[in-house]
Amino acid sequence: MQTRQLGQSDLQITPILMGTWQAGKRGWVGIEDDQVIAAIQAAVDAGITTIDTAEIYGDGYSEQLVAKALSDRRDRVVYATKVFANHMKYSEVLEACDRSLKHLQTDYIDLYQIHWPSGSFNSDVVPISETMRAMVELKEQGKIRAIGVSNFSRTQLEEAAEYGRIDSLQPPYSLFWRHVETDAMPYCIEHNITILAYSPLAQGLLTGKFGPDHQFAEGDIRAKNKLFQPEHYARAQAAIAQLRPLADKYGITLGQLALAWLMGQPQTCVIAGARNADQVRQNAIAADVQLDESDRKAIDEIGHSVADHLDDNPVMWSFG
């Protein structure tokens, strides 16, 4: 799989990253460790050599599963992990990084990201200058190779960049969820910051596998996803029906169509999670799909029929 440069760093990443939020199990149901490990290994075998995780995913459990799957192939993969909003103080960032290094069974992290802005989820408010001082120090020490942020607005991204080089932004971004396009994307393009789109399939909605009356199991975080609420879900179902003929035209699945469209957006790579090896192999196919410009525009318009009805809150879920 052809790689892309991460921001202005010397890292080369794949246009599809293997997402491992589900590996931590919190917020997900029906996840089996052996299937997750097989999926991560299948990702690398399929050419998806960039793996995204976070300390908050099962309190390090996701990172541990990544290591279990790939510790013997460390030289072939790029690890991206994140420090959570409750560890934004200088000393806490350093400690969190060391924990992640231990969990990942490695002596360096390729891309270390601030997961949420300080103050999120009732965390203490810490000046970004303090957090970035720790991040820059970790980079100087060789414990991390590049710095990224996640769930930051343009304003927050600009402020963080005052204190050190930011090479990536990880926002929620899909055909149906597009806040980043009008907020941070222009800044990212101007400053060569790679966009790592999470939930690129709108948490499975864009695969077309959910029917009109789908109900999630107890504990599944997708039940709180705004796109799955009645006022938006009906529009999403109508849009998916319009997308099907386009997927059929290319002989691909709806999910592959959605991923291919997103990877064609400016400076955008996608983080696609998977429950099993077969899903990973299906995702990997999307990297080779080339969409006609007229079809790209049609897909774009269909996506707006859902995205344009959402409010301005960039958070995908209604927590609380």
Side-chain angles (χ1 to χ4, degrees):
M1 189 177 294
Q2 192 170 6
T3 58
R4 301 175 178 181
Q5 183 178 359
L6 179 78
Q8 293 183 28
S9 75
D10 59 1
L11 289 172
Q12 291 290 317
I13 64 169
T14 44
I16 303 177
L17 290 75
M18 174 67 187
T20 62
W21 180 10
Q22 72 286 0
K25 294 190 174 69
R26 184 185 299 151
W28 299 87
V29 296
I31 304 294
E32 301 293 338
D33 286 359
D34 57 346
Q35 290 194 350
V36 168
I37 290 170
I40 294 170
Q41 292 171 338
V44 176
D45 291 340
I48 301 173
T49 55
T50 309
I51 316 297
D52 183 77
T53 184
E55 66 164 349
I56 195 66
Y57 299 164
D59 290 330
Y61 194 66
S62 173
E63 293 176 324
Q64 291 168 7
L65 282 188
V66 169
K68 196 169 183 180
L70 298 177
S71 59
D72 61 339
R73 315 188 210 186
R74 178 65 182 98
D75 60 336
R76 294 176 51 194
V77 295
V78 172
Y79 282 166
T81 192
K82 313 178 199 75
V83 55
F84 199 60
N86 59 342
H87 294 144
M88 294 290 97
K89 294 178 182 176
Y90 172 80
S91 61
E92 293 171 342
V93 174
L94 302 182
E95 291 165 2
C97 182
D98 284 341
R99 277 194 304 274
S100 289
L101 288 167
K102 184 177 180 181
H103 289 154
L104 288 166
Q105 296 178 29
T106 186
D107 55 5
Y108 68 96
I109 292 163
D110 296 287
L111 173 62
Y112 200 40
Q113 304 156 95
I114 301 172
H115 202 157
W116 286 87
S118 169
S120 301
F121 305 103
N122 298 313
S123 60
D124 292 339
V125 175
V126 179
I128 190 64
S129 57
E130 179 177 343
T131 304
M132 283 297 294
R133 180 163 64 94
M135 299 289 279
V136 170
E137 184 173 307
L138 288 168
K139 188 175 178 181
E140 290 171 347
Q141 292 173 347
K143 289 186 176 181
I144 67 175
R145 296 176 64 192
I147 300 169
V149 296
S150 178
N151 298 297
F152 273 44
S153 67
R154 174 176 178 145
T155 300
Q156 292 164 332
L157 177 56
E158 288 178 330
E159 186 180 2
E162 292 177 16
Y163 302 100
R165 173 66 204 170
I166 305 295
D167 282 310
S168 65
L169 168 68
Q170 185 175 146
Y173 185 21
S174 72
L175 196 52
F176 290 167
W177 194 273
R178 304 172 66 164
H179 295 278
V180 70
E181 291 181 346
T182 53
D183 181 45
M185 181 179 273
Y187 181 85
C188 290
I189 293 169
E190 181 183 352
H191 295 276
N192 195 12
I193 295 171
T194 298
I195 295 169
L196 304 175
Y198 77 76
S199 297
L201 295 175
Q203 296 204 291
L205 182 55
L206 277 161
T207 65
K209 66 183 179 182
F210 299 119
D213 303 313
H214 184 80
Q215 296 292 318
F216 287 106
E218 182 70 28
D220 194 316
I221 195 168
R222 290 175 293 186
K224 297 181 179 181
N225 188 312
K226 296 170 187 175
L227 288 168
F228 285 95
Q229 307 315 307
E231 63 271 30
H232 302 301
Y233 194 63
R235 290 191 190 94
Q237 291 293 325
I240 288 166
Q242 291 180 277
L243 291 170
R244 284 189 192 279
L246 286 159
D248 291 343
K249 174 182 174 180
Y250 288 89
I252 57 177
T253 66
L254 280 165
Q256 290 161 350
L257 185 80
L259 292 177
W261 176 86
L262 195 52
M263 280 184 279
Q265 297 303 102
Q267 293 178 208
T268 302
C269 297
V270 303
I271 302 172
R275 291 173 176 266
N276 54 58
D278 183 61
Q279 288 182 352
V280 170
R281 288 187 281 266
Q282 290 297 313
N283 290 341
I285 292 170
D288 295 323
V289 176
Q290 297 294 323
L291 299 172
D292 293 342
E293 187 58 32
S294 60
D295 291 330
R296 289 191 58 80
K297 290 179 179 178
I299 293 166
D300 181 81
E301 290 176 8
I302 293 168
H304 274 296
S305 72
V306 177
D308 290 355
H309 292 276
L310 294 158
D311 61 29
D312 292 332
N313 187 334
V315 181
M316 289 182 63
W317 306 271
S318 298
F319 292 118

